[in-house]
Amino acid sequence: MKRIRQISVFVENRPGRLLEVVDLLGKNNINIKALSLADSSDFGIVRLVVKGTDEAIKVLKENGFTISETNIIACMIDDKPGALASILRTLADNQINIEYMYGFASPIEGKAVMVFKFSDLESAEKILEQNNIKTLTQEEIREI
Amino acid sequence: MIYDDELETLPREALEALQLKRLQHTVERVYNLVPFYKKKFDEAGVKPDDIKSLDDLKRLPFTTKQDLRDNYPFGLFTLPLEQVVRVHASSGTTGKPTVVGYSKRDIQTWSNLMARSLAACGVGKGDVIQNAYGYGLFTGGLGAHYGGEALGATVIPISGGNTKKQILIMKDFGSTVLTATPSYTLYLAETLKEMGIKRDELKLRVGILGAEPWSDEMRKNIEEKLGIDALDIYGLSEIMGPGVAIECIEAKNGLHIWEDAFIPEIIDPETGEVLKDGEEGELVITTISKEAMPLIRYRTRDITRIIKEPCKCGRTHRRIERIKGRSDDMLIIRGVNIFPSQIESLLMETEGVEPHYQLIVDRVNNLDTLEVKVEVSEKLFSDEIKHLQRLKERIEKDIKDLYGITVKVTLVEPKTLQRFEGKAKRVIDKRKI
């Protein structure tokens, strides 16, 4: 299974709180591979894919952050118009629901990486495989 | 365990006869020894001889906290200072502190009542009591201390605060009983977890918690977190200190008020009219076995009701229901009366919230607002915003359904709300009226 470990951090909506999260990871030499921030009026959720998930969880917990771990899927797609639409169409045709998604910096020329959180992870994996959509492993993410 | 078998199970008739005798004696003394009472009784047109039955108690005027302040510091003492062996005082956050004095016999009486209270919680000789109530002018520390010693238990006079040391001592000394405020107990439980100390490394089995109103749901939470029996104790410095009333471990339902020492009444706080047993109102207490500073019909401001039904533990002293709050703590939000303990009950029943909360009252554009800040528990924290939104909305709806007021619920990070070593202060009223 090519599942990627994502860390979610609960943060109150106040100046400097996001900085504390990122700063803590930086000081502990943990590299952030992808980050997305979801917000509501009072609080936000910082979603992170990092190099060194276990260490990140440890330092965040030690510093009093509330976190949870979620499995997501990273898909490699062509960096050209219509590529994302094509994947989304495949998913939609197969009744696969996306909870959220965000983009990833990709150093590979002509490729882009999208991160997906699916409502039904197993079905999603099956459909992606059947349709030959390239997904990345945790190791591959680490090397990017 | 019953500490004083004879007095604690005295048939009602004999108990009431004893109360009358002691009441008459007390009224006689205060009338003759304290000018304040003589003046008040005269104004009300009542003489000590008029007290012929317990029912006549209601003819006497009330005593209030303001009366104590007006007679600051020693004006209500019935004994000269050389016979007063100890004084305590309340914190006096608003104005002068209220002072209370104890004779040698008063200290004995208090120790005995407190020993009874501890025994009612299943504590006895061989128990190690970690007394985390503050020592000093506050009655909590020394009250529990003397009671524990009178009972023959081992008392650790650790006082409040210094949480890590508390835990170290709890573990190393094998404390079996904790006396503290419920909010501090929660803080201890949290720190225990942080320090990685497991439940079976401790011998703790009973918590005797009081000095602030708390809810039954909070009890369940504490009992689950610490694996102990948590019991409610009631007292106030003006009347004596802790040990005025206690929950028995047999029933865990209502607090026996020691009626050979105190006469409880429930009144309508607006009209002063005495209510029947079972009706909710303000608790009024008359002390009938105190020497240095008896109080006649003292208005406690605490809201409760009297449970007259006999208790399965066999004690004949009536019970008061868990204190709902102080009439002073009652929040009036857009005309609706609400006690912080009611919000607490509701929060404790909501899965996924931590038992730490804060209520912030404000007035925006002439309209009262109530914000409820509550910590999200690790267990509930979900990666998805919609789950958290749903939790927030559910609490808002539950409060609206139950109390009819619209509040704003704010979810905050765990361990960010203030923790308390003594009495919790959960309400911040920003209204400037």
Side-chain angles (χ1 to χ4, degrees), chain B residues 136-190:
Chain B
L137 282 178
F138 171 58
T139 48
L142 285 171
H145 183 106
Y146 274 61
E149 287 189 354
L151 187 64
T154 308
V155 183
I156 308 171
I158 192 158
S159 198
N162 219 339
T163 309
K164 290 206 166 138
K165 190 169 164 199
Q166 292 264 3
I167 289 169
L168 186 82
I169 283 182
M170 187 178 279
K171 186 167 150 261
D172 294 348
F173 293 14
S175 308
T176 55
V177 180
L178 173 71
T179 47
T181 59
S183 46
Y184 188 54
T185 306
L186 271 177
Y187 183 47
L188 273 171
E190 210 170 62

Coordinates of all heavy atoms in Angstrom, one line a residue, chain B residues 136-190:
Chain B
G136 N -3.3 28.0 56.3 CA -3.2 29.5 56.5 C -4.5 30.0 57.0 O -5.2 29.3 57.7
L137 N -4.8 31.2 56.6 CA -6.0 31.8 57.1 C -7.3 31.1 56.6 O -8.3 31.0 57.2 CB -6.1 33.3 56.7 CG -5.3 34.3 57.5 CD1 -5.4 35.7 56.9 CD2 -5.7 34.3 59.0
F138 N -7.1 30.5 55.4 CA -8.2 29.6 54.8 C -8.4 28.4 55.7 O -7.4 27.8 56.2 CB -7.7 29.2 53.4 CG -8.6 28.2 52.7 CD1 -9.9 28.4 52.5 CD2 -8.0 27.0 52.3 CE1 -10.7 27.5 51.8 CE2 -8.8 26.1 51.6 CZ -10.1 26.3 51.4
T139 N -9.7 28.1 56.0 CA -9.9 27.0 56.9 C -9.7 25.6 56.4 O -9.6 24.6 57.1 CB -11.4 27.1 57.4 OG1 -12.2 27.2 56.2 CG2 -11.7 28.2 58.3
G140 N -9.6 25.5 55.0 CA -9.5 24.1 54.4 C -8.3 23.3 55.0 O -8.5 22.2 55.4
G141 N -7.1 23.9 55.0 CA -5.9 23.1 55.3 C -6.0 22.6 56.8 O -6.0 21.4 57.0
L142 N -6.1 23.5 57.7 CA -6.0 23.1 59.1 C -7.3 22.3 59.5 O -7.2 21.4 60.4 CB -5.9 24.3 60.1 CG -4.5 24.9 60.1 CD1 -4.4 26.2 60.8 CD2 -3.5 23.9 60.7
G143 N -8.4 22.6 58.9 CA -9.7 21.9 59.2 C -9.5 20.4 58.9 O -9.7 19.5 59.7
A144 N -9.0 20.1 57.6 CA -8.9 18.7 57.2 C -7.7 18.0 58.1 O -7.8 16.9 58.4 CB -8.5 18.6 55.7
H145 N -6.7 18.8 58.4 CA -5.6 18.3 59.1 C -6.0 17.8 60.5 O -5.7 16.7 60.9 CB -4.5 19.5 59.3 CG -3.3 19.1 60.0 ND1 -2.1 18.8 59.3 CD2 -3.0 18.8 61.3 CE1 -1.2 18.5 60.2 NE2 -1.7 18.4 61.4
Y146 N -6.7 18.7 61.3 CA -7.1 18.3 62.6 C -8.0 17.1 62.6 O -8.0 16.3 63.5 CB -7.7 19.5 63.4 CG -6.6 20.4 64.0 CD1 -5.6 21.0 63.3 CD2 -6.6 20.5 65.4 CE1 -4.7 21.8 63.9 CE2 -5.7 21.3 66.0 CZ -4.7 21.9 65.3 OH -3.7 22.7 65.9
G147 N -8.9 17.1 61.6 CA -9.9 16.0 61.5 C -9.2 14.7 61.2 O -9.5 13.7 61.8
G148 N -8.2 14.7 60.3 CA -7.5 13.5 60.0 C -6.7 13.0 61.3 O -6.7 11.8 61.6
E149 N -6.1 13.9 62.0 CA -5.4 13.5 63.2 C -6.4 12.9 64.3 O -6.1 11.9 64.9 CB -4.6 14.7 63.8 CG -3.4 15.0 63.0 CD -2.5 16.0 63.6 OE1 -2.8 16.6 64.7 OE2 -1.4 16.3 63.0
A150 N -7.5 13.6 64.4 CA -8.5 13.1 65.4 C -9.0 11.7 65.1 O -9.2 10.9 65.9 CB -9.7 14.1 65.4
L151 N -9.1 11.4 63.8 CA -9.5 10.1 63.3 C -8.4 9.1 63.5 O -8.7 7.9 63.6 CB -9.8 10.2 61.8 CG -10.4 9.1 61.1 CD1 -11.8 8.8 61.7 CD2 -10.6 9.4 59.6
G152 N -7.2 9.5 63.7 CA -6.1 8.6 63.8 C -5.4 8.2 62.5 O -4.7 7.2 62.5
A153 N -5.7 8.9 61.5 CA -5.0 8.7 60.2 C -3.7 9.4 60.2 O -3.4 10.2 61.1 CB -5.9 9.1 59.0
T154 N -2.9 9.1 59.2 CA -1.6 9.8 59.0 C -1.9 11.0 58.1 O -2.4 10.8 57.0 CB -0.6 8.9 58.4 OG1 -0.5 7.7 59.2 CG2 0.8 9.5 58.3
V155 N -1.5 12.2 58.5 CA -1.8 13.4 57.7 C -0.5 13.9 57.1 O 0.5 14.1 57.8 CB -2.5 14.5 58.5 CG1 -2.8 15.7 57.6 CG2 -3.7 13.9 59.1
I156 N -0.5 14.1 55.8 CA 0.7 14.8 55.1 C 0.2 16.3 54.9 O -0.6 16.5 54.0 CB 1.0 14.2 53.8 CG1 1.2 12.7 54.0 CG2 2.3 14.8 53.2 CD1 1.4 11.9 52.7
P157 N 0.8 17.2 55.6 CA 0.3 18.6 55.5 C 1.0 19.3 54.3 O 1.7 20.3 54.5 CB 0.7 19.2 56.8 CG 1.9 18.5 57.3 CD 1.8 17.1 56.7
I158 N 0.8 18.8 53.1 CA 1.5 19.3 52.0 C 1.0 20.7 51.5 O 1.7 21.4 50.8 CB 1.6 18.3 50.9 CG1 2.6 18.6 49.8 CG2 0.2 18.0 50.3 CD1 3.0 17.5 49.0
S159 N -0.2 21.0 51.8 CA -0.9 22.2 51.3 C -1.0 22.2 49.8 O -0.7 21.2 49.1 CB 0.0 23.4 51.8 OG -0.8 24.6 51.7
G160 N -1.5 23.3 49.2 CA -1.7 23.3 47.8 C -0.5 23.6 47.0 O 0.5 24.1 47.5
G161 N -0.5 23.4 45.7 CA 0.6 23.7 44.8 C 1.7 22.8 44.8 O 1.7 21.7 45.4
N162 N 2.8 23.1 44.0 CA 4.0 22.3 43.9 C 3.6 20.9 43.4 O 3.9 19.9 44.0 CB 4.6 22.2 45.3 CG 6.1 22.2 45.2 OD1 6.7 21.9 44.1 ND2 6.8 22.6 46.3
T163 N 3.0 20.9 42.2 CA 2.3 19.7 41.8 C 3.2 18.5 41.6 O 2.8 17.4 42.0 CB 1.5 20.1 40.5 OG1 0.7 21.2 40.8 CG2 0.6 19.0 40.1
K164 N 4.3 18.7 41.0 CA 5.2 17.5 40.8 C 5.6 16.9 42.1 O 5.7 15.7 42.2 CB 6.4 17.9 39.9 CG 5.9 18.2 38.5 CD 7.0 18.0 37.5 CE 6.3 18.0 36.1 NZ 7.0 18.8 35.1
K165 N 5.9 17.7 43.1 CA 6.3 17.2 44.4 C 5.1 16.5 45.0 O 5.3 15.4 45.7 CB 6.7 18.4 45.3 CG 7.4 17.9 46.6 CD 8.0 19.1 47.2 CE 8.3 18.8 48.7 NZ 8.6 20.0 49.4
Q166 N 3.9 17.0 44.8 CA 2.7 16.4 45.3 C 2.7 14.9 44.8 O 2.4 14.0 45.6 CB 1.4 17.0 44.8 CG 1.2 18.4 45.3 CD 0.2 18.5 46.5 OE1 -0.2 17.5 47.0 NE2 0.0 19.7 47.0
I167 N 2.9 14.8 43.6 CA 2.8 13.5 42.9 C 3.9 12.5 43.4 O 3.7 11.4 43.7 CB 2.8 13.6 41.4 CG1 1.5 14.3 41.0 CG2 3.0 12.3 40.7 CD1 1.4 14.7 39.6
L168 N 5.1 13.1 43.5 CA 6.2 12.3 44.1 C 5.9 11.7 45.4 O 6.0 10.5 45.7 CB 7.5 13.2 44.1 CG 8.7 12.4 44.5 CD1 9.3 11.7 43.3 CD2 9.8 13.4 45.1
I169 N 5.4 12.6 46.3 CA 5.0 12.2 47.7 C 3.9 11.3 47.7 O 3.9 10.3 48.4 CB 4.8 13.5 48.5 CG1 6.1 14.1 48.8 CG2 3.9 13.2 49.8 CD1 6.1 15.3 49.7
M170 N 2.9 11.5 46.8 CA 1.7 10.6 46.7 C 2.2 9.2 46.4 O 1.7 8.2 47.0 CB 0.8 11.1 45.6 CG -0.5 10.4 45.5 SD -1.5 11.2 44.2 CE -2.2 12.6 45.0
K171 N 3.1 9.1 45.6 CA 3.7 7.8 45.1 C 4.5 7.2 46.2 O 4.3 6.1 46.7 CB 4.5 8.0 43.9 CG 5.0 6.8 43.2 CD 5.5 7.1 41.8 CE 6.6 6.2 41.3 NZ 7.9 6.7 41.5
D172 N 5.5 8.0 46.7 CA 6.5 7.4 47.7 C 5.9 7.2 49.1 O 6.3 6.3 49.7 CB 7.7 8.4 47.7 CG 8.5 8.4 46.4 OD1 8.2 7.6 45.6 OD2 9.3 9.3 46.3
F173 N 5.0 8.1 49.5 CA 4.4 7.9 50.8 C 3.2 7.0 50.8 O 2.6 6.7 51.9 CB 4.0 9.3 51.4 CG 5.2 10.2 51.7 CD1 6.4 10.0 51.2 CD2 5.0 11.3 52.6 CE1 7.5 10.9 51.5 CE2 6.0 12.2 52.8 CZ 7.3 12.0 52.3
G174 N 2.8 6.6 49.7 CA 1.6 5.7 49.6 C 0.3 6.4 50.0 O -0.5 5.8 50.8
S175 N 0.1 7.6 49.6 CA -1.1 8.3 50.1 C -2.4 7.6 49.6 O -2.4 7.2 48.4 CB -1.2 9.8 49.5 OG 0.0 10.4 49.8
T176 N -3.3 7.4 50.5 CA -4.6 6.7 50.1 C -5.7 7.7 49.9 O -6.7 7.3 49.3 CB -4.9 5.7 51.2 OG1 -5.0 6.3 52.4 CG2 -3.9 4.5 51.2
V177 N -5.6 8.8 50.5 CA -6.7 9.8 50.5 C -6.1 11.2 50.1 O -5.1 11.6 50.5 CB -7.3 10.0 51.9 CG1 -8.5 11.0 51.9 CG2 -7.8 8.6 52.4
L178 N -6.9 11.8 49.2 CA -6.5 13.2 48.8 C -7.6 14.2 49.2 O -8.8 13.9 48.9 CB -6.3 13.2 47.3 CG -6.1 14.6 46.7 CD1 -4.7 15.2 47.0 CD2 -6.3 14.6 45.1
T179 N -7.2 15.2 49.9 CA -8.2 16.3 50.2 C -7.7 17.5 49.4 O -6.6 17.9 49.6 CB -8.3 16.6 51.7 OG1 -6.9 16.7 52.2 CG2 -8.9 15.5 52.4
A180 N -8.6 18.0 48.5 CA -8.2 19.1 47.6 C -9.4 19.7 47.0 O -10.6 19.2 47.2 CB -7.3 18.6 46.5
T181 N -9.3 20.7 46.2 CA -10.4 21.2 45.4 C -10.5 20.3 44.2 O -9.5 19.7 43.7 CB -10.2 22.6 44.9 OG1 -9.0 22.7 44.1 CG2 -10.0 23.6 46.0
P182 N -11.8 20.1 43.6 CA -11.9 19.3 42.5 C -11.1 19.7 41.3 O -10.5 18.9 40.5 CB -13.4 19.3 42.1 CG -14.0 20.2 43.2 CD -13.0 20.6 44.1
S183 N -11.0 21.1 41.1 CA -10.2 21.5 39.9 C -8.7 21.2 40.1 O -8.1 20.8 39.1 CB -10.4 23.0 39.7 OG -10.3 23.7 40.9
Y184 N -8.2 21.3 41.3 CA -6.8 20.9 41.5 C -6.6 19.4 41.3 O -5.5 19.0 40.8 CB -6.3 21.4 42.9 CG -4.8 21.2 43.0 CD1 -3.9 21.8 42.1 CD2 -4.2 20.5 44.0 CE1 -2.6 21.6 42.2 CE2 -2.9 20.3 44.2 CZ -2.0 20.9 43.2 OH -0.7 20.7 43.3
T185 N -7.6 18.7 41.7 CA -7.5 17.2 41.5 C -7.3 16.8 40.1 O -6.6 16.0 39.7 CB -8.7 16.5 42.2 OG1 -8.8 17.0 43.5 CG2 -8.6 15.0 42.1
L186 N -8.1 17.5 39.2 CA -8.0 17.3 37.8 C -6.6 17.7 37.3 O -6.1 17.0 36.4 CB -9.0 18.2 37.1 CG -10.4 17.6 36.8 CD1 -11.3 18.6 36.2 CD2 -10.3 16.4 36.0
Y187 N -6.1 18.7 37.8 CA -4.8 19.2 37.4 C -3.7 18.2 37.8 O -2.8 17.8 37.0 CB -4.5 20.6 38.0 CG -3.2 21.2 37.6 CD1 -2.8 21.2 36.3 CD2 -2.3 21.7 38.5 CE1 -1.6 21.7 35.9 CE2 -1.1 22.3 38.2 CZ -0.7 22.3 36.9 OH 0.5 22.8 36.5
L188 N -3.9 17.6 39.0 CA -3.0 16.5 39.4 C -3.1 15.3 38.5 O -2.0 14.8 38.1 CB -3.4 16.1 40.9 CG -2.8 16.9 42.0 CD1 -3.4 16.4 43.3 CD2 -1.3 16.6 42.1
A189 N -4.3 15.0 38.1 CA -4.5 13.8 37.3 C -3.8 14.0 35.9 O -3.1 13.1 35.4 CB -6.0 13.6 37.0
E190 N -3.9 15.2 35.4 CA -3.3 15.6 34.2 C -1.7 15.5 34.3 O -1.1 14.9 33.4 CB -3.7 17.0 33.8 CG -3.8 17.3 32.4 CD -4.4 18.7 32.3 OE1 -3.8 19.7 32.8 OE2 -5.5 18.8 31.7

